[in-house]
């Protein structure tokens, strides 16, 4: 199986397995792989897997796609080790075939194979699961004929390095002699389908998980609280603490406030499921655990959730366990003599049996989980038992259990037609369950087009189609009610054309909505026609002619004597002064202007012209005369003009 190793500009690496036939990459929500940098387009690229051939397609992105340094156009094939540049992200296509263990190695999913430097002479203990600490640690004896210890940097091949160190190397570094092996750290791997394959290393003493960007691990899902949980590391052990989240922390189906994590623990944070992978554990998604989809119903807990978790273990390692005829238990019984958990709080492997449930049934369920097999299969293990388990799961709509049981039957009988049919039906219903969840999400947001599209994607023969049909009908009625309220607003405003436009758009979604709006548009036009009807003509009221009063006649102005023809500037200034005293400022202005024509520098005529202009509110003329006055004259006339509302300065 191929995988994508994604490295950002800070060197952080994420591994995404190629388990789907089509993967979209972009910045917008809804892509299979979401890259959040601004130099990534909303829909940037699409990766196809057809008959074992993998291709990448540029979706008309702004910054393009570089494959091995060359920009591509359209769709091009990819081969192993090709390097893809999308914005600030470097993506490498790798194959996991070299990492797949042989049949014997798959006998126990909890005993990873460690790589050891063949040149090292230091005794190296055999890898023993912490759960199986009853076996003594057996060092590898050093031979005297072996050479002196050689540093890892001098190792001739990359096979001597740990897999974790290889993943940590930059893609450009292909020389195994230049890197130092990094100490492996534990990590969390997402099993939920919406974030499947994302890995988060636990490389800090305390790692906070939440929905917002200020957390160490950001999982942007509505069921995750802002600060949901914290994983603390103490003396090589990891514990998870609930930070008073809304949906709580569940480990292997049990609610905890704080609990120590162990190899293989399945953690549910809201509707997101993660798997705890110990440091150095050889874990491969798709081999050791399957991708699941948690709905609100399955996340609430109960036996359905327990069996879903059980199915994950069965798909990952159950086939190898049955093929080998058993093996060591992945989870030892609490209180065992040589239990690795001795001296610390041991968590129950399964929920305590309810009142009225026999202890034998609880023991059978615990034994089934310990052997990575369903409780129904623990007793027999034949094809008929697995098929019966699958049919019971079909009746209870437990699709993951149904798929797991069908896979177990196909492991024993690959040509069994009934097992193939049940497996295919379980896979279809798992997909339909995801589409039904998308439908419910869109309906809750009143995204009517998205809800109807999600409903149409559900298979017609699916149980979820029948379940969603009444919900879709209620959603349609709600949509029509909203349209009618909006149409009533347009009717009040006599905007019937807006209702017609609404009807055209609504008809693309529901025919019933088009019919309802057509009726509203007809009612709007009818109401508008009544409103524009002209009223009957009314007889105009009789108007009495207005009473006319004779115009008031003003007494004629006294005839002013014209100035003497040969008057001097002083005589004209005196006459202007007399006219101003009688408030005849127009005549005063005329006389002083005549005096200034004879003698432009006559100071008294200039002062009288300034005063007359201010009294007549002629600001422009007042400023012209004021500018030529002496400072003393300016001070005397300034306040007088200010009383008339003219500011000369």
């Amino acid at each position: 199986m191929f995988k994508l190793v994604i490295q950002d500009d800070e060197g952080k690496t994420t591994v995404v397995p190629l388990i789907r036939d089509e993967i979209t990459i972009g910045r917008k929500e809804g892509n299979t792989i979401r890259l959040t940098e601004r130099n990534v387009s909303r829909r940037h690229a699409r990766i196809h897997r057809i008959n074992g051939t993998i291709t990448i397609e540029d979706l008309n992105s702004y910054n393009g796609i570089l494959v091995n340094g060359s920009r591509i156009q359209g769709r091009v094939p990819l081969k192993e080790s090709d390097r893809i540049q999308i914005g600030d992200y470097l993506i490498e296509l790798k194959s996991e075939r070299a990492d797949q263990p042989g049949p014997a190695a798959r006998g126990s999913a909890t005993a990873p194979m460690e790589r050891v430097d063949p040149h090292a002479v230091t005794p190296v203990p055999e890898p023993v699961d912490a759960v199986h600490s009853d076996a003594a640690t057996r060092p590898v004896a050093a031979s005297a004929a072996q050479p002196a210890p050689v540093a890892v940097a001098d190792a001739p091949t990359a096979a001597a390095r740990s897999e974790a160190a290889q993943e940590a190397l930059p893609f450009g570094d292909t020389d195994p002699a230049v890197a130092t092996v990094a100490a492996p750290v534990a990590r969390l791997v997402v099993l939920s389908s919406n974030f499947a394959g994302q890995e988060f290393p636990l490389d800090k003493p305390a790692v906070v998980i939440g929905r917002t960007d200020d957390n160490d691990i950001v999982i942007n899902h509505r069921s995750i609280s802002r600060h949901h949980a914290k994983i603390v590391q103490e003396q090589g052990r990891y514990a998870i603490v609930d930070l008073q989240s809304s949906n709580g922390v569940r480990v292997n189906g049990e609610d905890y406030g704080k609990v120590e994590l162990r190899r293989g623990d399945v953690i549910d944070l809201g509707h997101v499921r993660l798997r705890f992978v110990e440091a150095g554990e050889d874990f491969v998604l798709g081999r050791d655990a399957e991708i699941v989809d948690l709905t609100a119903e399955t996340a609430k807990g109960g036996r359905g959730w327990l069996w879903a978790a059980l199915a994950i273990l069965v798909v990952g390692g159950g086939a190898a366990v049955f093929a080998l005829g058993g093996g060591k238990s992945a989870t030892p019984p609490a209180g065992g003599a040589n239990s690795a958990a001795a001296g610390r709080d041991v968590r129950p492997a399964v929920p305590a049996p309810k009142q009225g449930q026999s202890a034998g049934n609880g023991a059978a369920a615990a034994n089934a989980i310990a052997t990575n097999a369903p409780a129904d299969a623990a007793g027999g293990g034949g094809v008929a038992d697995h098929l019966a388990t699958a049919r019971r799961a079909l009746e209870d709509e437990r699709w993951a259990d149904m798929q797991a049981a069908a896979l177990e039957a196909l492991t024993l009988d690959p040509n069994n037609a009934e097992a193939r049919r049940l497996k295919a039906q379980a896979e279809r219903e798992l997909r339909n369950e995801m589409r039904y969840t998308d439908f419910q999400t869109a309906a809750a947001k009143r995204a009517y087009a998205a809800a109807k599209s999600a409903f149409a994607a559900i298979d017609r023969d699916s149980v979820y189609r029948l379940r969603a049909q009444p919900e879709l009908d209620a959603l349609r009625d709600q949509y029509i009610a909203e349209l009618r309220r909006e149409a009533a607003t347009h009717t009040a405003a006599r905007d019937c054309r807006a209702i017609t436009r609404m009807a055209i758009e609504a008809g693309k979604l529901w025919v019933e909505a088009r019919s309802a709006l057509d009726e509203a548009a007809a009612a709007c036009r009818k109401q508008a026609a009544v409103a524009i009807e002209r009223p009957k003509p009314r007889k105009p009221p009789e108007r009495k002619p207005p009473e006319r009063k004779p115009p008031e006649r003003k007494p004629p102005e006294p005839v002013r004597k014209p100035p003497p023809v040969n008057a001097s500037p002083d005589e004209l200034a005196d006459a202007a002064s007399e006219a101003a005293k009688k408030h005849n400022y127009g005549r005063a202005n005329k006389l002083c202007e005549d005096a200034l024509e004879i003698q432009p520098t006559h100071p008294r005529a200039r002062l009288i012209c300034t005063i007359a202009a201010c009294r007549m509110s002629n600001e422009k003329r007042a400023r012209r005369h004021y500018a030529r006055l002496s400072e003393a004259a300016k001070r005397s006339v300034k306040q007088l003009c200010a009383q008339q509302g003219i500011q000369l300065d």
Side-chain angles (χ1 to χ4, degrees):
M1 184 174 68
F2 286 96
K3 61 182 179 181
L4 298 176
V5 181
I6 306 173
Q7 184 179 15
D8 61 12
D9 56 350
E10 297 180 355
K12 296 180 181 179
T13 302
T14 303
V15 179
V16 179
L18 286 178
I19 59 176
R20 300 184 179 181
D21 293 335
E22 179 178 315
I23 290 178
T24 58
I25 304 174
R27 193 177 74 248
K28 186 179 179 181
E29 292 185 2
N31 289 285
T32 312
I33 300 176
R34 187 184 177 201
L35 307 178
T36 58
E37 292 297 331
R38 298 296 300 176
N39 52 10
V40 178
S41 299
R42 291 184 175 88
R43 287 177 51 82
H44 202 111
R46 182 188 290 115
I47 295 178
H48 297 271
R49 184 180 64 181
I50 304 175
N51 297 328
T53 302
I54 299 177
T55 60
I56 186 170
E57 179 183 359
D58 189 349
L59 301 178
N60 297 322
S61 61
Y62 184 79
N63 292 317
I65 301 173
L66 300 180
V67 176
N68 298 326
S70 301
R71 183 161 182 170
I72 67 171
Q73 299 291 336
R75 182 185 297 185
V76 298
L78 294 176
K79 60 182 181 299
E80 187 176 351
S81 300
D82 276 353
R83 295 196 295 177
I84 307 160
Q85 187 78 37
I86 296 180
D88 292 338
Y89 297 89
L90 183 62
I91 305 174
E92 185 171 6
L93 180 66
K94 289 189 175 182
S95 174
E96 293 183 348
R97 287 176 296 182
D99 300 334
Q100 297 288 343
R106 294 196 191 101
S108 175
T110 59
M113 298 293 294
E114 301 288 348
R115 296 186 176 93
V116 183
D117 189 350
H119 297 282
V121 298
T122 305
V124 179
E126 290 184 352
V128 179
D129 195 305
V131 182
H132 305 142
S133 59
D134 55 334
T137 303
R138 294 176 294 176
V140 179
S143 174
Q146 288 178 331
V150 181
V152 176
D154 296 330
T157 63
R161 291 185 301 194
S162 68
E163 183 177 357
Q166 291 179 351
E167 293 293 345
L169 286 175
F171 295 128
D173 183 11
T174 57
D175 185 3
V178 298
T180 303
V181 175
V185 296
R187 64 189 191 273
L188 296 177
V189 180
V190 183
L191 304 182
S192 298
S193 58
N194 43 1
F195 305 101
Q198 294 190 23
E199 298 187 3
F200 304 103
L202 303 177
D203 51 1
K204 295 181 181 180
V207 177
V208 180
I209 307 172
R211 190 178 71 250
T212 56
D213 294 336
D214 56 344
N215 293 280
D216 300 306
I217 297 178
V218 179
I219 303 178
N220 189 7
H221 194 273
R222 63 182 182 276
S223 65
I224 301 293
S225 299
R226 294 173 60 86
H227 303 289
H228 199 110
K230 178 171 66 174
I231 296 181
V232 294
Q233 179 183 2
E234 299 174 355
Q235 299 179 354
R237 296 180 178 179
Y238 295 86
I240 186 168
V241 182
D242 187 1
L243 300 180
Q244 298 181 352
S245 60
S246 298
N247 293 322
V249 174
R250 301 174 67 87
V251 178
N252 298 333
E254 289 291 324
D255 292 320
Y256 289 101
K258 178 178 180 181
V259 66
E260 182 181 343
L261 295 175
R262 303 171 188 166
R263 174 186 295 216
D265 278 350
V266 176
I267 306 167
D268 281 347
L269 305 179
H271 297 169
V272 178
R273 179 168 295 176
L274 305 100
R275 204 262 203 188
F276 175 71
V277 180
E278 279 190 344
E281 181 182 351
D282 185 17
F283 173 82
V284 177
L285 182 62
R287 182 194 70 190
D288 300 324
E290 288 291 332
I291 295 175
V292 297
D293 178 71
L294 292 183
T295 61
E297 179 180 358
T298 56
K300 290 180 181 177
R303 296 186 59 86
W305 187 94
L306 177 62
W307 291 119
L310 176 60
I312 297 174
L313 298 176
V314 169
V315 174
V321 173
F322 279 105
L324 295 176
K328 290 185 178 181
S329 171
T331 304
N338 297 321
S339 173
R344 56 176 177 161
D345 181 25
V346 179
R347 294 173 284 122
V350 296
K354 297 180 181 179
Q355 186 176 2
Q357 180 181 359
S358 65
N361 292 338
N367 186 39
I369 294 179
T371 57
N372 289 341
D376 293 324
V383 175
D385 295 332
H386 293 308
L387 292 179
T389 301
R391 294 188 188 98
R392 286 193 295 271
L394 171 62
E395 295 175 358
D396 298 337
E397 298 182 7
R398 293 181 285 109
W399 314 119
D401 297 349
M402 179 180 173
Q403 183 186 30
L407 284 172
E408 292 295 343
L410 288 173
T411 301
L412 301 177
D413 184 6
N415 297 322
N416 190 290
E418 179 68 9
R420 291 178 179 273
R421 184 187 67 79
L422 292 174
K423 174 179 174 292
Q425 184 177 358
E427 291 174 349
R428 287 196 306 271
E429 292 300 345
L430 281 172
R431 290 193 296 268
N432 290 323
E433 186 177 20
M434 294 176 59
R435 294 162 183 167
Y436 178 62
T437 302
D438 295 340
F439 165 75
Q440 289 183 317
T441 302
K445 296 180 179 179
R446 296 186 179 181
Y448 300 106
K452 190 172 182 184
S453 177
F455 174 82
I458 302 175
D459 294 336
R460 293 184 177 274
D461 58 347
S462 171
V463 296
Y464 295 102
R465 181 81 173 213
L466 298 176
R467 193 171 301 166
Q469 185 62 58
E471 299 178 22
L472 181 70
D473 295 340
L475 190 68
R476 178 200 60 203
D477 296 341
Q478 178 182 348
Y479 178 61
I480 294 175
E482 290 183 1
L483 292 177
R484 282 175 172 163
R485 287 193 293 270
E486 187 176 355
T489 304
H490 291 301
T491 301
R494 298 181 185 176
D495 190 1
C496 302
R497 292 185 178 179
I499 303 177
T500 303
R501 291 192 296 267
M502 288 172 53
I504 295 173
E505 293 298 323
K508 298 176 182 178
L509 198 58
W510 272 295
V511 177
E512 296 84 351
R514 173 66 184 265
S515 300
L517 287 179
D518 285 342
E519 293 176 1
C524 176
R525 288 190 292 269
K526 183 177 180 180
Q527 184 174 344
V530 172
I532 63 176
E533 287 184 359
R534 295 182 180 180
K536 296 180 180 180
R538 296 180 181 179
K539 186 178 180 180
E542 296 181 358
R543 296 181 181 179
K544 297 180 180 181
E547 297 181 357
R548 296 182 179 180
K549 296 182 180 180
E552 297 181 356
R553 295 182 180 180
K554 296 182 179 179
E557 295 183 359
V559 180
R560 303 181 184 277
K561 296 181 180 181
V565 177
N566 296 324
S568 64
D570 292 335
E571 292 176 344
L572 292 173
D574 291 341
S577 179
E578 290 296 328
K581 290 177 181 179
K582 296 179 180 179
H583 304 287
N584 192 354
Y585 299 110
R587 178 171 177 75
N589 182 73
K590 177 67 173 62
L591 292 172
C592 67
E593 291 284 356
D594 292 341
L596 290 174
E597 287 181 4
I598 299 173
Q599 184 180 348
T601 59
H602 197 284
R604 196 155 60 91
R606 184 72 65 183
L607 178 61
I608 295 172
C609 283
T610 305
I611 295 173
C614 288
R615 291 294 188 182
M616 292 187 298
S617 300
N618 192 334
E619 183 177 356
K620 183 177 180 181
R621 184 181 297 170
R623 287 182 178 276
R624 178 166 58 84
H625 292 297
Y626 178 81
R628 300 183 182 183
L629 292 176
S630 63
E631 292 299 326
K634 285 182 178 180
R635 286 194 295 271
S636 63
V637 78
K638 181 178 179 181
Q639 185 176 2
L640 179 64
C641 291
Q643 293 176 356
Q644 300 296 324
I646 297 176
Q647 301 294 334
L648 297 176
D649 289 338

